[in-house]
Amino acid sequence: MAIYLIRRFVIMIATIFVIATLTFILMHSIPGNPFTTQDRSTSEAVQENLKAHYHLDEPMIVQYGIWLKSLATFDFGPSIKQPTETVNDLLGRGFPISAELGMWTITIALISGITLGVLAALKHNGIIDYIAMTLAVLGISIPNFILATLLIQQLAVNLQLLPAATWSSPMHMIMPIIALATGPTAIIARLTRSSMLEVLTQDYIKTARAKGLSPAKIVIKHALRNALMPVVTILGTLVAAILTGTFVIERIFAIPGMGKYFVESINNRDYPVIMGTTVFYSAFLIFMLFLVDIVYSILDPRIKLHKKGGS
Amino acid sequence: MKRNWKLSMIACLAALVLLLSACTANNSAGGSGGGEEGEDKKVLRLNNGQEPTSLDPPEGFDSVSWVMVNNLMEGLTRLDESHQPQAAIAESWDVSEDGKEYTFHLRDDAKWSNGDDVTANDFVYAWKHMLDPEQAYQPAFLAYVIEGAEAYNSGEGSADDVAIEAVDEKTFKVTLTAPTGYFLNLLTNPAFFPVNEKVAEENPEWFAEADTYVSNGPFKIDSWSHDKELIMVKNPEYWDVDTVKLDQVNWAMVADRNTEYQMYQSGDLDRSSIPADNAKELMESDELVTEVQAGDQFLRFNVQKEPFTNEKIRKAFAMAMNRDDIVEFVRGIGEQPARGFVPYGFETPDGGDFREENGDLIQDDPAEAKKLLEEGMQEEGWDELPAVTLTYGTNTENERLAEGVQNMLSENLGVDVTLQTVESSVFSEEQTKLVYQLFRGSFLADYGDPVNFLESFTTESSSNRTGWSNEEYDQLIADSKTQSDEATRYEMLMEAEKILMDEMPIAPLHFYQHVYLQKTNVKNVIMHPVGYLELKWADIE
C-alpha cells in the first residue's frame, strides 16, 4: 500500500508539472495582454510600468522560472484584475463556497439518483420505471442554466417564495442546488438502473434468493454494491467538476464561488489566476481519481491496488 | 474491518458537510439583511455587477470602482447635479494670471472618517503615490498636465520635481505645464482623491478591508463581504453630512443582467440595468431612467489598408449608414445618433452645447455615398472594390451592430462585407497593431471635456488605432491644451473635430446612454456622463 501511495504521489506531481507547463505555454501563446483596454485611453509609459510591475517585460524563460517558483511555494501572487487580492485569497474564499454548494449537490444527486435507479430497475418496465426514466431524460436534456432561470422566474419573481439570488442563508441555497443537481441525478439514475438490471440477472443473486434472503437484503447487500461500480467511476470527475465551482450556475445565482475565476481569468488574461485555478483544479481532479480507485477496492475486493496499480 | 473503514469515511464526509454549513451560518449572521432593520432608516439597494477592482482611488480605473469610490471619498472638487465641478474638500481656489498655478484652500471642517483632518499633505501624498512608476497606476497619465508628473511617472524624473506642494496644513498648490481649462473637471476623477497619509503609512493595504478603510466622502464602509456584498453608511464626519439623506447603501455584486432584473422584480434591488432581450418592452416603463453617457460607438478605418487608404471611400462607407435606424432598431434603447465624435452634454463658454454648435459633420446620404465610392475607385484605378472585412470583439451586442452595418452597406452602397468576430482581448491587442481593415470602436470618457475625446486621434495617441495622422490636427489639440482663453480653446477643438470628420478615419455611429430601471420612490440618484455615480443627494421617499 505504501509503495502504491508513493508511486501515485510521484505520478501526481509529474502530471501537475506537465499541466502547469502546458498551461504556461498556451496562456502566453494566445494574443492579448491583461492591460489592453477597449474603450478607455491609456499611455505608453503607464503600460510599460504595468508590465514591469507584473514582470511581464522579462524574457519568457525568466517568467517561466518565476512561475515554477510560485508553483513550488503555492504562492501565485496578486491577481492582475483585482490587484488588492492574491490568487490564494480568491481561491481560499471561493472554494469553500463552491465546495459547499457542490457537497449538497452531490449528496442530493447521489441519494435521489440511486433511489430512482434502483426503483426503476426493480419495477422494470413498470409505471415507476417509466416515470423515473422520463424524469431522467428530462433532467439530462434541460440545460441547468435554463432550469435556473425558470426556477428564479417562478419561485422568486412570481411566487416570491425564495430569494432570487445571492448567497447568505439556507433559503438562498435551495434553487442553485436543484438546478445543479438535476443533471447528475439523471445520469446517476440511468447508470444505476442499467447496471442494476444487469446485476439482478446474475447467478449469485439467484443463489441469494434461493437461500431465502429478504429482498431488501439482496438489493442492498448483494446487488447494489456491484451495481454502483459505474456510478463510482463517474463520481470522481463529477465531484471535482462540481466542487470547484460551475461558472454558469454561480453566475446566474450570483454565488461568490470559484467558477467565475476559471472563465474570467482567461478572458482577462489574468495570468496568475489562470495558473492558480488550473493547478488547483488539476490537483483536485487527480486526487478525486485516486479516491475513486480506493473506493473501487472497497466495493470490489478483487481489485488489488498494490499489485496491478489500478490507475 | 472493511465496514469500519467505510463507516469512518462516511463520518468524515458528514463532518465536512457540517463544518461547511457552520461556516455559512456564521457568515449570514454577520452580513446581509440590512433592508429590514429600523423602520425610518433609508436604505438604498444597488447592484455593482461585480466586486470593485480596487477601492484604492488610483488603482480602480473603471466604472465598477468609480461608482463606489466617488461616494466614499471626495476630492478637491465634486461634480454637481448638472455635472459641473464645484467646491468640495477645497472651499475655494486662486488661479494665477497665466492660468498655470492653482492654490486650493481646503475646508477647515474636512475630516476623515476616523476623525483626522484632511490636510494638504494627504493630497501631496496621494498624488505622488499615484504617479510612482513602481506602483504602475493606470490613470497616472491623467496627471501629466502637472509639471514634472510625466517625467516622474516614466522613470526619468523624481518625485520631488512634481510641482505639487502643501503650503500649510490647509493650502495646496499645483503648478501645471500649461493652462488647462478642464483641470477642475479632471480633479473630480477618483484618481485625484486624497489618501490619509497616516493610515496608509501604517497599513499599505488599508483599502482592502472594511475595518481599515478610512474615507472622507459622504459615506463610509460599514461591512464588506468580498465578491458578495458591500454596505456603506452615512459618514458622520463628512463636512456636508446634513445634505446626505440616505442612511445606508447596500451593494450587491450580481454579474448576470437577467438575475439582476429578476432581483429588481422580486424587490431585492431598487435599481437595475436592462437585460438586452427585454429592452423593447421596458423602454415604455415608467420606472425607466435615462442619462447621458459620455461615450460613443463608431467604426475605425485602417487608413493603411486598401480600400480605406482612399478618403472618398472612407466617406462613402460612413455616409452609407442610416444612423436613425441603428439607434432605433439595432440598439433600441433610445440613444442619440452620432454625426460627430464629441457627444452632447459639453457646455461651451457661451452656454451652448458643443455638439449642437459644431453641427452634423456627417450626413446619412446613400446617393452621395454611392457617388463617392465610384469617384474613389476611379482615383485608385480599381474596377472592383478590394474585399472588406468588418471585425468586432465577440459579444451579442457587437454582433447585432455588425450585422446592422453589414446590411446597410449592402443595401445603400452595394458592398458586401464579411464579418469576423474575435475574442475581446485579442481584438483589443490586434487593433493597436493595425491588423484589421474595418473594425468596431468605442470610447468612454475619463473626464468631462471634449478634448478627452479628440486627443484620442492624435498621431501619438494609443487610442488612435487607425494609422491616421494629420499635423494640423495634432497641432490644434496641442495648442488647445496650452490655451487659457476658454472660447478660443473651444474654437480650436471644434476646428479639430471638423478635420477629423473631414478626413474620416472613423465613422461615428451613435452616442451611449445610461439606461436603468429605478423604483419610483428613489430620487436624485445621479449618474454623471463620465461614469461616476452620485448618491450624495439621493433620497428614498
Side-chain angles (χ1 to χ4, degrees):
Chain A
M1 192 70 182
I3 294 171
Y4 171 75
L5 284 180
I6 292 169
R7 223 185 75 189
R8 277 303 284 252
F9 188 71
V10 172
I11 293 176
M12 198 167 141
I13 299 290
T15 317
I16 291 178
F17 175 76
V18 171
I19 291 174
T21 305
L22 283 177
T23 314
F24 182 85
I25 295 169
L26 283 174
M27 181 170 95
H28 284 282
S29 58
I30 43 175
N33 79 60
F35 315 117
T36 45
T37 52
Q38 185 65 49
D39 34 33
R40 289 197 188 281
S41 36
T42 166
S43 84
E44 292 291 324
V46 167
Q47 293 275 326
E48 291 310 311
N49 289 343
L50 278 164
K51 283 188 179 156
H53 190 76
Y54 291 99
H55 303 289
L56 294 179
D57 54 346
E58 311 263 11
M60 267 311 148
I61 192 77
V62 177
Q63 291 191 45
Y64 183 63
I66 296 173
W67 153 232
L68 281 186
K69 197 182 143 214
S70 65
L71 179 64
T73 53
F74 286 104
D75 178 6
F76 298 99
S79 152
I80 296 178
K81 181 77 211 282
Q82 270 171 265
T84 55
E85 298 191 82
T86 67
V87 178
N88 292 4
D89 286 343
L90 296 180
L91 296 184
R93 198 167 67 220
F95 178 64
I97 296 173
S98 291
E100 185 184 21
L101 172 63
M103 278 286 184
W104 283 111
T105 304
I106 294 284
T107 312
I108 286 170
L110 270 181
I111 294 173
S112 46
I114 291 175
T115 314
L116 275 178
V118 170
L119 286 178
L122 291 178
K123 309 282 175 195
H124 186 40
N125 287 339
I127 187 86
I128 298 187
D129 187 16
Y130 290 133
I131 294 176
M133 285 310 109
T134 311
L135 285 180
V137 170
L138 275 179
I140 293 173
S141 3
I142 301 180
N144 58 15
F145 55 91
I146 304 265
L147 185 62
T149 316
L150 280 175
L151 283 173
I152 300 181
Q153 191 61 35
Q154 288 306 324
L155 299 183
V157 179
N158 294 348
L159 299 175
Q160 308 251 341
L161 288 176
L162 293 170
T166 70
W167 190 250
S168 47
S169 75
M171 294 294 273
H172 289 85
M173 296 166 64
I174 296 173
M175 287 197 290
I177 290 173
I178 297 177
L180 206 50
T182 307
T185 305
I187 294 171
I188 292 170
R190 289 193 65 90
L191 277 175
T192 313
R193 175 180 175 271
S194 55
S195 65
M196 197 67 184
L197 282 175
E198 202 186 313
V199 169
L200 286 175
T201 59
Q202 302 276 319
D203 290 342
Y204 68 90
I205 299 290
K206 286 181 190 152
T207 315
R209 286 217 183 96
K211 281 197 321 194
L213 291 181
S214 71
K217 202 162 186 188
I218 294 175
V219 170
I220 294 167
K221 193 165 163 46
H222 297 278
L224 194 56
R225 181 156 163 177
N226 286 305
L228 283 185
M229 294 299 276
V231 176
V232 171
T233 311
I234 65 150
L235 210 54
T237 344
L238 196 66
V239 167
I242 290 186
L243 255 55
T244 49
T246 40
F247 174 67
V248 178
I249 290 295
E250 288 183 358
R251 185 183 161 90
I252 291 179
F253 288 103
I255 298 167
M258 236 181 90
K260 72 168 173 191
Y261 300 127
F262 284 109
V263 179
E264 284 176 7
S265 63
I266 297 174
N267 289 341
N268 295 331
R269 304 291 189 274
D270 194 340
Y271 299 132
V273 182
I274 297 180
M275 277 306 183
T277 47
T278 315
V279 168
F280 184 85
Y281 178 75
S282 28
F284 198 76
L285 181 65
I286 292 169
F287 179 69
M288 287 320 293
L289 294 179
F290 169 65
L291 273 189
V292 165
D293 284 350
I294 290 179
V295 175
Y296 275 151
S297 75
I298 300 172
L299 287 177
D300 187 348
R302 287 171 302 180
I303 297 176
K304 295 277 186 285
L305 292 177
H306 46 288
K307 274 196 185 149
K308 288 186 181 167
S311 54
Chain B
M1 185 61 199
K2 242 174 265 155
R3 185 165 297 237
N4 285 344
W5 193 7
K6 234 192 292 181
L7 267 177
S8 56
M9 272 187 71
I10 292 171
C12 279
L13 210 72
L16 198 61
V17 171
L18 271 178
L19 193 80
L20 286 172
S21 39
C23 288
T24 31
N26 285 343
N27 281 350
S28 58
S32 66
E36 280 93 40
E37 349 168 327
E39 282 187 15
D40 321 324
K41 250 182 145 185
K42 289 185 173 175
V43 182
L44 183 66
R45 296 157 309 163
L46 301 175
N47 175 30
N48 198 36
Q50 65 177 78
E51 169 94 351
T53 308
S54 170
L55 295 187
D56 184 13
E59 188 146 44
F61 188 56
D62 47 28
S63 184
V64 288
S65 308
W66 286 346
V67 291
M68 288 199 179
V69 176
N70 192 49
N71 291 299
L72 292 168
M73 292 278 197
E74 184 159 281
L76 294 164
T77 52
R78 176 178 280 274
L79 295 177
D80 64 9
E81 285 100 326
S82 51
H83 320 301
Q84 297 304 313
Q86 301 296 347
I89 293 298
E91 197 168 25
S92 62
W93 48 84
D94 312 312
V95 187
S96 67
E97 244 169 58
D98 61 359
K100 287 192 194 174
E101 213 177 85
Y102 281 73
T103 309
F104 294 94
H105 306 286
L106 310 193
R107 272 172 212 286
D108 282 334
D109 53 351
K111 298 232 187 263
W112 291 98
S113 54
N114 65 355
D116 292 353
D117 272 337
V118 179
T119 66
N121 246 326
D122 294 332
F123 282 93
V124 175
Y125 175 79
W127 292 16
K128 288 193 173 167
H129 187 65
M130 160 173 73
L131 286 166
D132 186 349
E134 295 268 309
Q135 300 290 338
Y137 288 130
Q138 289 200 50
F141 74 97
L142 292 177
Y144 288 180
V145 296
I146 300 167
E147 213 170 88
E150 185 164 6
Y152 176 42
N153 189 242
S154 24
E156 282 148 24
S158 83
D160 300 333
D161 295 334
V162 182
I164 52 179
E165 183 192 351
V167 180
D168 59 49
E169 274 269 287
K170 292 280 181 186
T171 315
F172 178 61
K173 206 171 94 180
V174 187
T175 312
L176 307 178
T177 53
T180 308
Y182 56 90
F183 185 58
L184 293 173
N185 209 314
L186 190 64
L187 292 179
T188 62
N189 185 296
F192 293 91
F193 288 0
V195 164
N196 188 323
E197 185 179 1
K198 257 191 274 170
V199 172
E201 283 294 309
E202 250 171 56
N203 175 12
E205 295 280 296
W206 62 275
F207 44 78
E209 300 296 336
D211 46 2
T212 51
Y213 200 89
V214 175
S215 62
N216 70 333
F219 296 89
K220 60 177 188 172
I221 304 183
D222 181 56
S223 71
W224 184 4
S225 170
H226 292 280
D227 259 332
K228 204 160 130 190
E229 188 177 44
L230 187 144
I231 294 176
M232 289 179 188
V233 292
K234 193 191 279 190
N235 177 9
E237 299 285 347
Y238 181 53
W239 64 271
D240 198 13
V241 67
D242 297 337
T243 311
V244 183
K245 300 191 180 68
L246 295 176
D247 295 297
Q248 185 174 324
V249 186
N250 296 358
W251 293 89
M253 298 170 195
V254 179
D256 191 89
R257 279 198 183 183
N258 274 313
T259 308
E260 179 187 25
Y261 175 57
Q262 283 169 322
M263 286 176 75
Y264 176 80
Q265 283 179 302
S266 69
D268 294 333
L269 289 176
D270 294 319
R271 188 174 160 104
S272 162
S273 56
I274 292 181
D277 298 339
N278 303 57
K280 272 220 173 80
E281 46 182 292
L282 294 177
M283 291 310 289
E284 307 293 317
S285 163
D286 54 356
E287 294 177 358
L288 189 83
V289 181
T290 57
E291 272 167 301
V292 177
Q293 179 175 16
D296 39 18
Q297 194 159 211
F298 53 93
L299 297 174
R300 282 191 170 91
F301 299 111
N302 184 344
V303 304
Q304 294 171 2
K305 283 205 170 174
E306 289 181 354
F308 301 116
T309 42
N310 185 290
E311 185 182 307
K312 285 188 170 153
I313 295 182
R314 295 200 294 268
K315 276 189 172 162
F317 271 66
M319 291 174 96
M321 297 293 118
N322 186 336
R323 290 172 176 78
D324 292 323
D325 281 359
I326 290 181
V327 165
E328 192 176 346
F329 300 112
V330 180
R331 299 283 299 172
I333 49 171
E335 289 157 330
Q336 294 279 347
R339 298 190 175 92
F341 189 57
V342 177
Y344 293 93
F346 292 113
E347 202 179 312
T348 57
D350 52 26
D353 184 272
F354 185 100
R355 177 76 277 126
E356 275 161 21
E357 282 193 15
N358 218 21
D360 287 348
L361 300 179
I362 175 97
Q363 306 299 329
D364 306 358
D365 188 344
E368 178 69 17
K370 268 191 191 144
K371 212 178 99 200
L372 280 171
L373 180 69
E374 264 168 43
E375 285 176 16
M377 282 168 64
Q378 240 164 29
E379 275 176 20
E380 302 289 332
W382 292 328
D383 295 331
E384 209 178 315
L385 192 74
V388 177
T389 303
L390 167 61
T391 312
Y392 56 94
T394 310
N395 88 29
T396 330
E397 271 180 29
N398 293 349
E399 185 177 287
R400 277 188 14 206
L401 183 79
E403 282 168 356
V405 168
Q406 185 187 37
N407 232 321
M408 286 170 190
L409 288 175
S410 159
E411 258 172 42
N412 299 342
L413 207 56
V415 174
D416 287 318
V417 301
T418 315
L419 300 186
Q420 181 191 24
T421 166
V422 177
E423 195 265 345
S424 296
S425 290
V426 178
F427 180 67
S428 299
E429 171 138 321
E430 306 235 78
Q431 57 174 280
T432 58
K433 294 183 189 153
L434 295 180
V435 173
Y436 308 124
Q437 204 179 6
L438 170 67
F439 49 108
R440 175 197 173 263
S442 67
F443 183 80
L444 295 173
D446 300 314
Y447 55 91
D449 195 272
V451 73
N452 189 219
F453 283 80
L454 295 169
E455 68 188 350
S456 298
F457 291 97
T458 57
T459 309
E460 292 299 315
S461 164
S462 67
S463 304
N464 183 314
R465 304 173 198 172
T466 58
W468 180 72
S469 169
N470 180 311
E471 266 178 44
E472 198 189 342
Y473 184 84
D474 291 356
Q475 198 56 50
L476 274 170
I477 299 294
D479 288 349
S480 81
K481 290 186 171 180
T482 58
Q483 178 55 249
S484 55
D485 180 58
E486 276 293 276
T488 320
R489 187 173 79 88
Y490 265 78
E491 267 166 36
M492 288 170 153
L493 293 176
M494 288 182 181
E495 187 56 37
E497 195 192 32
K498 280 184 182 137
I499 296 176
L500 183 71
M501 289 293 101
D502 192 47
E503 302 206 351
M504 203 117 285
I506 54 163
L509 296 176
H510 70 88
F511 298 121
Y512 282 120
Q513 188 164 274
H514 293 292
V515 185
Y516 295 98
L517 291 171
Q518 182 174 287
K519 300 278 182 209
T520 44
N521 62 344
V522 177
K523 306 281 180 214
N524 291 331
V525 175
I526 296 162
M527 188 71 178
H528 294 302
V530 280
Y532 335 138
L533 184 80
E534 193 68 75
L535 300 173
K536 180 174 170 179
W537 300 284
D539 197 3
I540 300 177
E541 282 168 359

